[in-house]
Amino acid sequence: MTGLSVEKTGSTRSTVFFIIFNLSIFSLSIEARSRQQHASFPPRGWNSYDSFCWTISEAEFLQSAEIVSKRLLPHGYQYVVVDYLWYRKKVEGAYVDSLGFDVIDEWGRLHPDPGRWPSSRGGKGFTEVAEKVHRMGLKFGIHVMGGISTQAYNANSLVMDSVKGGAYEESGRQWRAKDIGIKERACVWMSHGFMSVNTKLGAGKTFLRSLYRQYAEWGVDFIKHDCVFGTDFNIEEITYVSEVLKELDRPVLYSISPGTSVTPTMAKEVSQLVNMYRITGDDWDTWKDVTAHFDISRDLSASSMIGARGLQGKSWPDLDMLPLGWLTDQGSNVGPHRACNLNLEEQKSQMTLWSIAKSPLMFGGDVRNLDATTYNLITNPTLLEINSYSSNNKEFPYITATRVSRNKHKGYPHHPTGKNISTKHAFGLTSCKEQKANTWFIVDKNRGQICWNQHSSEKLEKPFCLYNRKALLASDKKLKHNQLYQGKLHLHTNDKAQSCLAASSQQKLTSKDYSQGALSPCKLDANQMWELHSNGTLENSYSGLCAVLNPVKAAEASSNGVRSWIATGRRGEVYVAFFNLNQEKTKISAKISDIATALRGKKNLVGASCTSHELWSGKDFGPTKDSVSIQVEPHGPALFVLHCSNA
């Protein structure tokens, strides 16, 4: 039986260790610590979305769970999660945003489709599936959408009082779905599927409580709550669901998504309420999706959000699932049928960034067809050690790089600089608490013209202005909407345009989609309604987020350059990760003195002699007192483990 070998080499020398894991011990160590505090480590598991989209069946799920329990649980992958639309009948005409194909009970609550989940018949829900998963030593999770289903709203189902039993009564009457559903706040990217619930009403809160108590009764350990964060921000529902989960007799890990337009300010608003929160759009297997995670990961780390206080424990910024191995396509009606589009270097970069940024690791590929390369990547003991136990994780900007080509060597700093970089601006959303949101002002009341403040720090080449559209009231329906949105603005880019500015895209966005605002045919709904406040913020009625113009430097938007992250290990080692975003092999270097400065308190690095091991090449380097340096493949990473001594 092998264990963890530790070698002490001197009182002033950092601990040198060799990672020879008994993998079951590693898993039990994480599990034992997790009991002390909920989500003590970034959660790890498997999710069905990247390989099955919404079509997975009970047999396919349990087969996958069995493989996870045998091959991935020893490496800490303990959650198995059924992603969205488990309640949708897999019949002709059903797809991601179809209406009328969902299984609901008399209280408007969703139940698994018995055609795909036969053990759910008789109102048993996921009870038997959860029991089987638990017997495998795993924890069971499900994806749920925010609010109430459109199907339940149209059926005007009664609201169940899960405390007293029977229908919810207040003010001498029973309450129904149409009393609590906010039709004007339908989920933008699944508008036929779900709408927000009015959490200011007792009936609205009672409905949500009935949902989450039922999930707990089924044996659910993990909730992925969608269409409530990012551009779909619904802090009221997140807050109330968090309160309900706190009341349960056992911990349920709480995850929210999607993550489009997330900022550190938004993260701080939710982090104490949840255990995981997405910080980008959906991550798929494209290089642009991978590179889209660097800036927001840096910003969340700089704001001390990694492992911050969370729901009954800690919370973690979530970079989304790992779309590696055998996959399906976004929005598909079929299961796994193709290989990952990322090359091996790109896959290593993704896994390295996810690990050193301490993101939850949720594998998305088909575990029934798990190839050796993918398996070795997602179970790499050094990466998993970093993901669970490292600290002081941050982006490290003090690196130099030299592109390596056959004909020339070109040196450059890691961030492009110079006067020739052109700057454009893209519409975006942010928390209304951000100072940069206070920059809109009225130019022409008669034309309803408002403009982005030219005195802001990011000046535009020409003013960016929007115009309020005057709706033509031709029906009672439009009159009702006009009363609902009285005082709100319906904006377009000129006073003759027929397309209006919307806060959130009508399709689920991937991480590489930069601009979230979109012009779409004008219609009277919350997604296209805005309110200009006296402090200069332009707030959207759907998400409660505020409009901004973000600078986009052309040189930075091309997924080029180099990046680096650093962290310290639990035995004194130092991790240095390089990422080559260029299409050419690049030599990347970092001075040990700069690393010591960035890692305050690492006195053993000052003037130290360091030896190192680079993970991906398998090479050993040193001793050196100056720098670490290596040629990195296009789109690839390097990961040094440094052991330094002053002796």
Side-chain angles (χ1 to χ4, degrees):
M1 177 175 172
T2 58
L4 188 65
S5 175
V6 180
E7 178 187 348
K8 297 280 187 176
T9 57
S11 59
T12 61
R13 183 178 174 86
S14 299
T15 302
V16 180
F17 70 96
F18 303 91
I19 304 174
I20 309 172
F21 280 103
N22 178 311
L23 297 175
S24 61
I25 290 176
F26 178 73
S27 174
L28 290 172
S29 173
I30 288 182
E31 178 67 22
R33 285 195 166 193
S34 295
R35 292 193 196 105
Q36 299 171 13
Q37 187 182 51
H38 198 35
S40 297
F41 302 92
R44 203 175 293 168
W46 175 78
N47 181 293
S48 64
Y49 179 67
D50 287 345
S51 45
F52 289 92
C53 193
W54 67 275
T55 64
I56 193 167
S57 68
E58 180 173 337
E60 291 166 329
F61 181 78
L62 290 175
Q63 182 186 9
S64 299
E66 185 71 32
I67 295 168
V68 171
S69 71
K70 292 177 179 177
R71 302 194 66 191
L72 296 180
L73 178 60
H75 303 273
Y77 289 82
Q78 61 179 328
Y79 291 95
V80 286
V81 182
V82 182
D83 212 272
Y84 71 165
L85 304 183
W86 36 266
Y87 36 82
R88 186 148 298 171
K89 298 175 184 177
K90 191 179 178 183
V91 295
E92 186 177 353
Y95 60 97
V96 169
D97 194 28
S98 58
L99 175 61
F101 296 93
D102 296 343
V103 179
I104 61 174
D105 66 13
E106 60 181 312
W107 309 108
R109 300 178 302 179
L110 297 160
H111 280 251
D113 166 29
R116 289 189 287 141
W117 302 88
S119 71
S120 69
R121 291 189 174 97
K124 290 185 289 186
F126 277 123
T127 302
E128 289 191 13
V129 171
E131 288 174 352
K132 291 179 181 178
V133 166
H134 292 157
R135 286 198 293 269
M136 297 175 194
L138 299 169
K139 294 184 178 181
F140 177 62
I142 61 173
H143 172 290
V144 300
M145 294 290 291
I148 188 171
S149 75
T150 305
Q151 193 168 320
Y153 180 90
N154 291 342
N156 204 20
S157 305
L158 284 166
V159 173
M160 179 186 183
D161 189 332
S162 58
V163 176
K164 297 180 180 179
Y168 176 76
E169 295 186 7
E170 185 184 346
S171 302
R173 71 179 181 93
Q174 295 180 333
W175 290 67
R176 294 181 174 271
K178 289 188 177 180
D179 297 319
I180 63 172
I182 307 175
K183 199 171 184 179
E184 295 76 18
R185 286 198 62 182
C187 178
V188 174
W189 48 268
M190 200 186 287
S191 59
H192 294 104
F194 293 85
M195 66 185 73
S196 295
V197 162
N198 189 343
T199 54
K200 295 179 181 178
L201 297 174
K205 292 180 178 179
T206 298
F207 175 76
L208 291 175
R209 187 188 302 115
S210 74
L211 296 181
Y212 289 87
R213 284 195 169 192
Q214 181 177 66
Y215 302 148
E217 289 169 2
W218 288 347
V220 172
D221 306 294
F222 179 108
I223 295 286
K224 178 182 175 183
H225 194 187
D226 211 344
C227 206
V228 292
F229 196 42
T231 50
D232 307 295
F233 199 21
N234 189 338
I235 188 64
E236 294 83 8
E237 183 163 331
I238 293 170
T239 300
Y240 187 68
V241 169
S242 183
E243 291 175 3
V244 172
L245 295 179
K246 258 191 228 178
E247 297 171 357
L248 300 177
D249 58 3
R250 60 189 179 83
V252 174
L253 192 143
Y254 186 25
S255 169
I256 58 173
S257 64
T260 44
S261 294
V262 167
T263 65
T265 299
M266 291 170 63
K268 289 176 181 178
E269 288 186 63
V270 302
S271 61
Q272 294 188 31
L273 303 171
V274 303
N275 304 113
M276 293 167 49
Y277 52 95
R278 282 271 299 282
I279 59 174
T280 65
D282 282 5
D283 177 69
W284 278 94
D285 51 328
T286 73
W287 179 238
K288 284 188 176 181
D289 274 345
V290 175
T291 59
H293 291 79
F294 279 94
D295 285 353
I296 186 61
S297 299
R298 172 201 62 204
D299 296 344
L300 270 291
S301 171
S303 301
S304 302
M305 299 308 298
I306 296 177
R309 181 182 173 189
L311 175 62
Q312 298 178 308
K314 292 186 177 183
S315 62
W316 306 93
D318 178 14
L319 302 187
D320 200 14
M321 291 166 286
L322 294 161
L324 308 174
W326 203 242
L327 307 171
T328 187
D329 295 306
Q330 184 181 24
S332 175
N333 273 19
V334 297
H337 60 275
R338 65 175 182 84
C340 173
N341 287 318
L342 297 173
N343 65 39
L344 183 56
E345 291 299 321
E346 293 167 342
Q347 293 180 45
K348 290 190 295 187
S349 286
Q350 180 168 34
M351 190 67 188
T352 303
L353 177 62
W354 265 235
S355 297
I356 202 165
K358 293 181 76 76
S359 170
L361 299 179
M362 291 289 172
F363 178 57
D366 183 3
V367 292
R368 303 168 308 167
N369 292 289
L370 184 54
D371 61 278
T373 299
T374 303
Y375 176 78
N376 291 334
L377 180 60
I378 65 174
T379 61
N380 183 282
T382 302
L383 295 181
L384 299 186
E385 167 76 17
I386 293 171
N387 184 248
S388 288
Y389 297 112
S390 62
S391 57
N392 299 312
N393 306 65
K394 64 184 73 176
E395 186 175 83
F396 177 68
Y398 307 108
I399 54 176
T400 58
T402 304
R403 292 188 186 178
V404 180
S405 66
R406 294 179 180 177
N407 301 319
K408 61 181 180 180
H409 296 264
K410 182 180 179 182
Y412 63 101
H414 80 291
H415 285 310
T417 59
K419 296 181 180 180
N420 294 327
I421 295 177
S422 61
T423 301
K424 297 182 179 180
H425 287 75
F427 175 85
L429 297 169
T430 191
S431 168
C432 297
K433 297 178 181 179
E434 298 272 5
Q435 186 175 0
K436 67 178 181 179
N438 305 334
T439 47
W440 295 90
F441 67 106
I442 297 174
V443 174
D444 187 334
K445 277 190 176 182
N446 293 328
R447 295 176 67 195
Q449 183 185 19
I450 63 172
C451 297
W452 179 257
N453 193 345
Q454 291 301 289
H455 300 291
S456 64
S457 59
E458 295 290 345
K459 293 184 178 180
L460 307 183
E461 295 177 3
K462 61 180 181 179
F464 179 81
C465 297
L466 298 167
Y467 300 83
N468 187 30
R469 175 176 178 264
K470 295 179 180 179
L472 299 175
L473 301 180
S475 67
D476 291 340
K477 182 178 179 181
K478 286 189 176 181
L479 180 60
K480 178 183 177 183
H481 279 76
N482 192 56
Q483 293 170 344
L484 180 65
Y485 296 119
Q486 187 173 5
K488 303 293 177 72
L489 303 174
H490 205 189
L491 299 169
H492 44 186
T493 53
N494 64 67
D495 52 9
K496 296 182 180 180
Q498 297 300 310
S499 294
C500 290
L501 190 68
S504 185
S505 172
Q506 293 182 349
Q507 61 182 5
K508 207 170 186 184
L509 296 171
T510 62
S511 301
K512 65 179 178 288
D513 296 318
Y514 184 85
S515 176
Q516 311 309 327
L519 290 172
S520 56
C522 295
K523 58 182 181 180
L524 295 169
D525 67 16
N527 189 42
Q528 291 187 358
M529 293 296 165
W530 304 84
E531 184 173 0
L532 181 63
H533 297 288
S534 59
N535 65 352
T537 55
L538 184 62
E539 180 183 359
N540 180 251
S541 298
Y542 170 68
S543 64
L545 300 177
C546 283
V548 292
L549 288 188
N550 291 316
V552 184
K553 292 182 179 179
E556 292 181 356
S558 58
S559 301
N560 290 329
V562 294
R563 306 295 277 263
S564 177
W565 274 66
I566 56 176
T568 53
R570 56 177 167 164
R571 294 176 176 83
E573 69 276 18
V574 174
Y575 301 106
V576 182
F578 294 151
F579 300 92
N580 178 17
L581 310 189
N582 298 307
Q583 296 184 27
E584 299 172 280
K585 182 181 287 189
T586 301
K587 183 178 180 181
I588 307 176
S589 305
K591 292 182 178 179
I592 292 175
S593 59
D594 289 336
I595 297 171
T597 300
L599 294 173
R600 303 181 194 90
K602 290 296 291 181
K603 296 180 181 179
N604 64 313
L605 286 178
V606 180
S609 175
C610 299
T611 59
S612 63
H613 175 78
E614 199 286 308
L615 176 67
W616 299 115
S617 66
K619 294 180 180 178
D620 294 313
F621 297 85
T624 179
K625 293 185 177 181
D626 183 28
S627 64
V628 289
S629 180
I630 195 170
Q631 291 186 10
V632 184
E633 295 295 329
H635 296 182
L639 178 60
F640 288 94
V641 184
L642 296 177
H643 304 281
C644 301
S645 171
N646 293 102

